[in-house]
Amino acid sequence: MKQSRSGIVVPHTHWDRAWYLPFQAYRLRLIEMMTDLLGWLESGALPLFVLDGQTVLLEDYFAVRPHDKPRVQALVESGKIKVGPWYTMPDCFLARPESLIRNLQRGLQMGDDLGGASRVGYVPDSFGHFAQLPQILSGFGIDSFLFMRGMPEQLRDAHGAVFLWQSPDGSQVLSTFLREGYFPLGALGQESFHGRYDGLSARTALAQERLSGTLARLLPVHKENVLVLPAGGDHLPARDDLGAVVSQLNQAQSDISLRFGSFEDYLHDLHASLGSQKMPVHCGDLLGQADHPLLRNVLSSRIDLKILNHRAQDILTGVVEPLLAWSSLNGLPCADAALLQIAWDTLLKNHAHDDICGCSVDDVHLDDVQRFHEVLALSQEIITRQIEHIIQRRLSAPTDARTARVFVFNPHPWPVTVSAQARILLADEGGEFSEKSASRALQAVDSEGHPLALRVLSTECKAIRNRYLETTWGRAYELCADVSLPALGFEIITINETSANLRLAENAAGVEVPQELTSAFRFELDADLGDGYSHGPCPELPVQRARLLSAESDSRLDGVYHLTFEITGPAYIRRDDLSSRPLNDCLGPSVSTTICVRACRRPVVDTADAAKKQGVALTDTGCTWDLQISYTNVFKDSRLRIVFDPRAVAAANELGACKGVLSHGQGQWIELPATPAAQELWEGPLAKPAYPGEKMYPVHHTNDGVVVVAAQGSVFAGGVGLHEFELFGSPTGPHPCVAFTLHRAVGHLSVRGGRIRSCQAGPQRPTPDAQLQRQLDHHLNFGFAATTAAAMRHLREGVHPCWVQECPVVPVINPSEVNSMRSSMLDFGNTALELMSLRPAGEGVVMRICNPSGFQVQAELRMPVFAGVKFKAQRVQLDERTPVSAAAAGNETLSVSFKPFEIQTWKIEPC
C-alpha cells in the first residue's frame, strides 16, 4: 500500500552554547558529539546532519580540533553537514535588527567559507518573532521560516501549520510551524525523550509508539502531504542507529513514508506539494502561545545584561563604526577591521537566546558580563585611538600648556545641543611631587573659536590620570559645557585655564522642585514567584509604593533636581511553603531600601515644519527629563517598576483625547491599543495545569520606549535596556499609564506552578545571582512634545546619549592649518528615517537605513562628509553583495524613496 504522506527525517541536535550548564561543560560534550558525528557521516552510517542553524558550534569545535577543519569542509561541500545561516541562534527581540543582520552576515560568511551555508530561516527556539523578520531573511535570499514558539492559536486553527508570513514592507517567507518543536523524533525508540540513553538499544515498538503520537498531534494542523520530522533535541548526541530505526518504522507502519533529508529537502517537497495553491498570509508579530510557552518575561530577566547589551550595541553602531568611516574617508589610519569583527563576534555570542534572555544558570551569565565588558573596553580603545589620529594629523598643538580638549560625538543623523559633562586634567609641571596648582576659572570654545557656556562643578589636586604610556598628576576639573553638535558628527572643544580665581557653579538657593517632576512617576514593588522565564504574580500581596522622602534642586546646575524615595517590602518569600502554609507565614521580615533619582530638565522646542504637518500649534512648553536612578536591591522574589502617568508628565499642557500608543520596536513603531485587555491568571497559590500551561502576558516589548499620542501633543518615556513595559488605566484620565520593569529578582532558572506559566520551562536549577542583590543603576528619559515626531526624536536622544570624553594628550606629528573639527557625516533633516548603521567598506562606506513609519518617505539625505567630492551610490541587499539597483553618481546629497517600514542598504564610494 502506497502511503499518502511522506516524512522528511532531519537528524540534528539543538545545541544551546550555554544554558543549564556553562559553556565549557557543554563544549566538552560538543567535542565528543562531533567526533562521533564526523566518523559516522564519512562512513555512511548517518546520511546527513543539521548543526542547529548556527556556525558558532564549529568555531568552538575548531578551537579544540583545528585539524578536523578539512574533514568538516568536505562534509559541508558534499551536503552531509548543514551549517548556518546564523552565527548564533539569537533572541529576536533583545538583539536589535542591525545585530540580527550582522549575525546572519557572519553565519553565512562562515558557512560559505566552509563549502556552502544553509539558507533556511530556521529559528526553532527563540521566544517569539517580530514582524520585520521576513524582510531581514529575504534580504539574504532566504525565503523560508521554521519556528516553534510564537504561533497564534487562531492562525493555527484557521489555516494550519504552513502559511506565508509577510513583513510590513511586503516581504514574504513560506513559514512552517513546528508544532512538536525540534524534537518530534528525538530519542526515537527510547523510553523517554528526557534522560540518558547512550549504550541502550532502540526498541522498534517504542519508536512506532512515538511516531504514532507525533502524527496524531501533527496531522490535524498539516494539510500538506509532506511533513518535516526533526530527529534530535537539546544537546542530544548524534546516532549511528537512526537509519536502522527509520527503516524498521517504514516496514512496521503504513501511515507515512519516512526518508532522511535536510530542511532544504523538506522545503523542496513542500513547494511541489503546494503547487499553485494560494496560501494564507499572516502579517504582524508571531507572539502566540499555541502548543509552546512564549516565556515573555525574559525581556526583564537579569536586567544588568540588558543594560550592558544596550550600551554595547550603541557604542559599536552609534560611535565606533561611524567614527571609523569618517577616519577612513579622511585618510586617517583606522583600527584593524579584524578587531572590529572580534567585538561583533563577542557581542553576537551574548545574543544567543538563552544568554541575552537571562534564562541560564549563574555561571553562564558571569561569562556574558565578561564578554560585554570586553566589547565595551575594545570599543572604547578604538574610539580613543581614532581621536589620537585626529589630534596628531588634523589639529595644531595647543599654544597654552594649561589646555585640554574634549571630544563630543553625536550618534544621531540630526543636529543636537547637549550639556556635555566631562572630567579633564591639567598636568602640573613637576608631576606628582610638585606644588599643587591653583584652581583657576576656565573658558571653553568650540572648534571654530566660538565661546561656550561652561560651568565647573568641582576640582581637586593632586589628581592622577593613567592612560596608555602615560601617568599624569595635576588639577582635575569636573565641568559641564553646552555644545551644539552637527548631525552624525563630532565637535572638539578646547578648554583653557585663565588667570582668574575659580568660582564653582552655584544654583540659585531655594529653587522649587517642579510639581510635574514629583507627580510624573512613581515606584512600585510587587511579589515575583516566577523564574528566569516568567513573572510569577501573587495578587494576594498588596503592591508597595515608594514614598518621597526629599526633593531638592542641585546646588551646582540649573534644571537639575535630586529626589529620594523609600520603599518597603518583604525580604523574601518562601515559595516552596505556599502549598502548606498561609501566605503571611511564608514572608520574610520587612526591609526597606532608598531609591535616589537625579533628574535633569531640558526644554523641547518642536520645529515649525513638524508641528505644521501634524496640525498642532507650535509650542515651547514641552520638556524632556533625563533620570538617573540608583538603588541597592534588598528584596528577593520581587519586581520593581517605574510607572509614568501621561497627564502628570504633560503637566500644564492639555493633552486632549488619547489617539493611541506607539512602541519603538524592531524596525518599526508598533501601534498598541490604549485600553489594555484584562489579565487572566491561573488559580493559586501554585497552579498546576498541563503543558504548555501559559496565560497571556500583559507586557510588551520595546527597544527605546513608548509614545502616548494625544490630540494636543505626545508624551514619551523609555530607558536604557528597559525592554519590558505594561499599559494600564490611569486614575487621572483616559491616557494609559506606562510601567517599565526596572528589575525582576528570582531564585531559579525554572519553577512550576506560576500564575502566568504553570509548567516547567527547563531544569529547576537555583540561580541565586538572579536575585540581583546589589546596586542597580538606570538611565531613563521622559517628557512631553507638541508633535509625535518630536517626541520620537527626543526619546531617542535621551536613550542614546552623545559620547563625551577627554581627548588624549599625544604629540602632534602632522599639524594642520585648519583647526576646525566640527564635522558631520549624514543629515536626515526632518524625515522619519532611522539610521541603523554606517561603517567603512573598501574605499567608501556602507549605510543602512530604516523607515519605521507606516507612510512612504522621499528625502534628500545630506552627506557633508562627501562635500566637494563626487560619489557613486548603489543600493544592495542586506548581504551587501547583491545589487538592487544600478549605481548612480552624486555629490553630497543622496535622493532616496522608502516604502513604509522598508530597510535599505547603500554602498557609497568616492568616484
Side-chain angles (χ1 to χ4, degrees):
M1 176 179 175
K2 184 178 180 181
Q3 295 94 336
S4 61
R5 291 182 184 273
S6 65
I8 308 299
V9 179
V10 183
H12 81 101
T13 187
H14 177 62
W15 203 274
D16 299 306
R17 200 165 173 268
W19 180 29
Y20 61 86
L21 292 178
F23 163 64
Q24 295 297 352
Y26 277 138
R27 177 152 69 174
L28 183 149
R29 299 178 185 276
L30 174 69
I31 302 306
E32 294 176 345
M33 187 275 287
M34 288 291 298
T35 301
D36 290 338
L37 174 65
L38 297 185
W40 293 335
L41 290 172
E42 289 168 338
S43 70
L46 191 63
L48 77 157
F49 201 80
V50 175
L51 274 180
D52 203 31
Q54 49 182 333
T55 59
V56 71
L57 304 183
L58 289 175
E59 182 177 284
D60 297 336
Y61 180 71
F62 292 150
V64 179
R65 300 275 178 84
H67 53 275
D68 277 346
K69 189 170 183 179
R71 297 176 66 195
V72 172
Q73 187 163 356
L75 291 167
V76 172
E77 289 174 347
S78 67
K80 291 187 175 183
I81 290 182
K82 295 292 183 180
V83 296
W86 300 95
Y87 176 62
T88 59
M89 188 61 64
D91 181 77
C92 291
F93 283 92
L94 293 170
R96 289 180 181 260
E98 182 62 25
S99 295
L100 294 170
I101 291 168
R102 303 298 180 92
N103 196 323
L104 282 168
Q105 286 177 343
R106 186 62 165 148
L108 289 169
Q109 173 232 320
M110 289 181 64
D112 288 342
D113 288 347
L114 285 168
S118 171
R119 280 170 169 76
V120 174
Y122 181 58
V123 194
D125 199 26
S126 297
F127 307 135
H129 309 279
F130 63 98
Q132 287 280 47
L133 189 54
Q135 181 179 183
I136 291 176
L137 294 173
S138 297
F140 289 92
I142 298 172
D143 60 3
S144 59
F145 182 64
L146 283 75
F147 72 107
M148 177 178 75
R149 303 188 195 275
M151 182 67 161
E153 262 188 61
Q154 308 93 305
L155 178 62
R156 181 201 65 187
D157 294 344
H159 300 297
V162 178
F163 59 96
L164 289 174
W165 186 23
Q166 179 172 296
S167 276
D169 79 311
S171 303
Q172 293 182 337
V173 289
L174 180 61
S175 302
T176 299
F177 168 49
L178 303 173
R179 188 179 193 184
E180 288 293 278
Y182 46 83
F183 35 77
L185 299 187
L188 191 63
Q190 301 295 333
E191 287 284 350
S192 171
F193 174 76
H194 299 287
R196 297 288 294 270
Y197 59 82
D198 42 323
L200 301 179
S201 298
R203 294 160 56 190
T204 305
L206 289 176
Q208 189 168 352
E209 181 182 332
R210 179 67 176 278
L211 177 62
S212 297
T214 295
L215 294 179
R217 289 184 290 272
L218 290 182
L219 293 183
V221 300
H222 276 275
K223 306 178 182 67
E224 300 74 30
N225 290 329
V226 59
L227 296 178
V228 61
L229 299 170
D234 297 85
H235 304 101
L236 291 187
R239 298 174 57 181
D240 62 342
D241 65 341
L242 195 57
V245 176
V246 169
S247 177
Q248 292 163 7
L249 281 175
N250 277 330
Q251 295 173 15
Q253 54 83 42
S254 58
D255 297 324
I256 190 168
S257 174
L258 302 177
R259 70 177 179 89
F260 286 105
S262 63
F263 290 126
E264 286 90 343
D265 295 324
Y266 159 71
L267 291 165
H268 175 273
D269 288 6
L270 178 63
H271 279 286
S273 172
L274 295 173
S276 59
Q277 175 183 335
K278 186 175 181 181
M279 298 299 297
V281 177
H282 173 76
C283 301
D285 294 334
L286 287 172
L287 291 174
Q289 295 156 298
D291 302 298
H292 298 281
L294 187 61
L295 312 173
R296 192 65 168 154
N297 290 123
V298 295
L299 294 172
S300 58
S301 295
R302 299 187 190 254
I303 205 70
D304 53 336
L305 295 179
K306 279 61 172 179
I307 295 170
L308 287 169
N309 184 48
H310 179 110
R311 291 175 55 203
Q313 291 179 108
D314 245 24
I315 194 172
L316 280 174
T317 60
V319 186
V320 171
E321 291 185 335
L323 184 56
L324 287 172
W326 184 92
S327 298
S328 175
L329 291 172
N330 281 274
L332 296 182
C334 288
D336 194 308
L339 286 172
L340 186 60
Q341 189 61 59
I342 286 173
W344 271 107
D345 287 354
T346 305
L347 176 61
L348 295 176
K349 287 181 174 71
N350 277 5
H351 286 172
H353 54 287
D354 288 314
D355 288 77
I356 190 55
C357 288
C359 52
S360 296
V361 294
D362 290 344
D363 285 349
V364 172
H365 299 304
L366 289 175
D367 290 344
D368 291 330
V369 170
Q370 174 62 28
R371 279 193 291 266
F372 278 130
H373 284 296
E374 289 176 10
V375 175
L376 294 170
L378 179 53
S379 299
Q380 167 71 81
E381 196 56 34
I382 291 175
I383 294 169
T384 299
R385 190 68 180 118
Q386 295 311 127
I387 297 172
E388 289 177 350
H389 291 318
I390 292 171
I391 293 170
Q392 290 185 311
R393 292 166 170 83
R394 290 293 185 271
L395 292 178
S396 299
T399 57
D400 188 341
R402 304 291 287 178
T403 296
R405 286 169 169 153
V406 174
F407 175 83
V408 190
F409 190 92
N410 172 22
H412 304 288
W414 60 81
V416 299
T417 298
V418 297
S419 294
Q421 287 193 227
R423 179 186 187 272
I424 64 169
L425 188 142
L426 302 178
D428 288 343
E429 188 175 350
E432 180 181 7
F433 303 106
S434 62
E435 293 296 319
K436 292 183 178 180
S437 55
S439 57
R440 301 294 185 190
L442 303 180
Q443 62 182 13
V445 296
D446 64 19
S447 61
E448 295 177 346
H450 304 133
L452 302 175
L454 179 72
R455 279 101 44 215
V456 177
L457 309 180
S458 66
T459 183
E460 63 169 327
C461 195
K462 295 288 189 169
I464 189 171
R465 177 177 62 205
N466 294 101
R467 293 192 292 214
Y468 178 68
L469 298 179
E470 174 198 2
T471 300
T472 303
W473 289 268
R475 178 162 292 279
Y477 294 91
E478 296 283 346
L479 54 87
C480 181
D482 295 336
V483 55
S484 295
L485 297 170
L488 192 67
F490 61 88
E491 174 75 274
I492 295 180
I493 62 177
T494 301
I495 300 163
N496 292 295
E497 263 187 352
T498 69
S499 58
N501 292 328
L502 173 66
R503 181 177 179 182
L504 293 177
E506 290 186 18
N507 198 2
V511 175
E512 187 175 350
V513 177
Q515 176 68 25
E516 66 188 80
L517 175 61
T518 56
S519 61
F521 61 89
R522 64 180 184 269
F523 296 98
E524 293 186 349
L525 179 75
D526 61 353
D528 193 335
L529 302 179
D531 52 30
Y533 296 101
S534 304
H535 170 56
C538 185
E540 294 80 4
L541 283 176
V543 175
Q544 304 295 323
R545 289 191 179 182
R547 63 188 183 95
L548 182 63
L549 298 181
S550 64
E552 57 188 19
S553 60
D554 189 88
S555 61
R556 302 293 186 207
L557 294 172
D558 293 333
V560 177
Y561 306 91
H562 300 276
L563 288 71
T564 306
F565 296 83
E566 184 182 61
I567 197 162
T568 302
Y572 54 84
I573 303 174
R574 296 186 184 92
R575 186 185 190 278
D576 293 342
D577 293 344
L578 287 174
S579 59
S580 59
R581 302 177 63 182
L583 176 60
N584 287 337
D585 292 349
C586 300
L587 303 181
S590 181
V591 293
S592 300
T593 195
T594 300
I595 302 173
C596 299
V597 179
R598 181 185 186 272
C600 177
R601 185 183 191 276
R602 293 184 282 113
V604 167
V605 180
D606 296 344
T607 65
D609 287 345
K612 187 176 180 181
K613 280 183 181 178
Q614 294 198 11
V616 178
L618 183 64
T619 175
D620 60 1
T621 57
C623 71
T624 178
W625 290 91
D626 293 321
L627 299 183
Q628 294 178 16
I629 298 173
S630 181
Y631 57 91
T632 298
N633 178 42
V634 297
F635 309 106
K636 296 181 179 180
D637 315 308
S638 61
R639 176 179 67 173
L640 183 66
R641 302 200 288 183
I642 184 171
V643 182
F644 292 96
D645 186 334
R647 284 282 297 273
V649 170
N653 297 276
E654 181 59 42
L655 285 176
C658 183
K659 299 173 68 175
V661 177
L662 296 173
S663 169
H664 183 256
Q666 296 282 71
Q668 68 178 118
W669 284 89
I670 304 290
E671 293 186 30
L672 298 173
T675 304
Q679 185 184 8
E680 296 181 0
L681 299 176
W682 295 114
E683 293 293 331
L686 294 178
K688 298 180 181 179
Y691 187 93
E694 192 178 45
K695 296 288 189 180
M696 291 294 294
Y697 292 81
V699 298
H700 304 278
H701 164 267
T702 184
N703 271 332
D704 288 344
V706 177
V707 175
V708 179
V709 182
Q712 299 300 319
S714 293
V715 169
F716 58 92
V720 170
L722 300 183
H723 298 293
E724 180 180 284
F725 73 95
E726 182 179 352
L727 301 173
F728 49 83
S730 167
T732 63
H735 309 90
C737 286
V738 185
F740 290 93
T741 303
L742 294 178
H743 78 261
R744 291 196 309 115
V746 295
H748 285 87
L749 172 64
S750 174
V751 294
R752 291 181 60 83
R755 305 288 277 276
I756 290 180
R757 194 202 81 243
S758 66
C759 64
Q760 204 82 32
Q764 188 164 327
R765 299 289 301 275
T767 55
D769 194 55
Q771 294 282 15
L772 299 177
Q773 302 289 283
R774 52 183 173 270
Q775 179 174 315
L776 296 171
D777 299 294
H778 293 285
H779 180 185
L780 290 94
N781 176 257
F782 74 94
F784 168 80
T787 66
T788 303
M792 291 173 173
R793 282 203 169 182
H794 288 292
L795 172 64
R796 289 181 61 76
E797 288 174 16
V799 178
H800 305 276
C802 295
W803 180 270
V804 183
Q805 76 172 77
E806 181 188 27
C807 291
V809 178
V810 292
V812 174
I813 60 177
N814 185 24
S816 170
E817 296 180 1
V818 180
N819 283 314
S820 175
M821 289 309 301
R822 180 181 172 83
S823 185
S824 174
M825 280 175 277
L826 182 65
D827 192 336
F828 281 4
N830 289 323
T831 69
L833 301 176
E834 289 184 6
L835 179 66
M836 296 175 66
S837 67
L838 186 146
R839 71 182 196 278
E843 299 296 320
V845 298
V846 168
M847 174 173 62
R848 193 153 22 254
I849 303 171
C850 173
N851 174 16
S853 69
F855 51 86
Q856 186 159 333
V857 172
Q858 290 184 315
E860 300 289 318
L861 306 183
R862 287 188 59 249
M863 295 187 293
V865 72
F866 286 105
V869 178
K870 288 186 177 180
F871 64 79
K872 61 177 181 180
Q874 183 175 46
R875 188 180 165 199
V876 295
Q877 289 281 22
L878 294 180
D879 61 12
E880 297 175 11
R881 293 178 292 184
T882 308
V884 174
S885 61
N891 187 351
E892 192 172 353
T893 302
L894 177 65
S895 299
V896 294
S897 178
F898 280 77
K899 296 185 296 186
F901 306 112
E902 186 178 26
I903 297 171
Q904 293 186 11
T905 305
W906 289 84
K907 275 189 173 180
I908 304 171
E909 295 180 327
C911 292

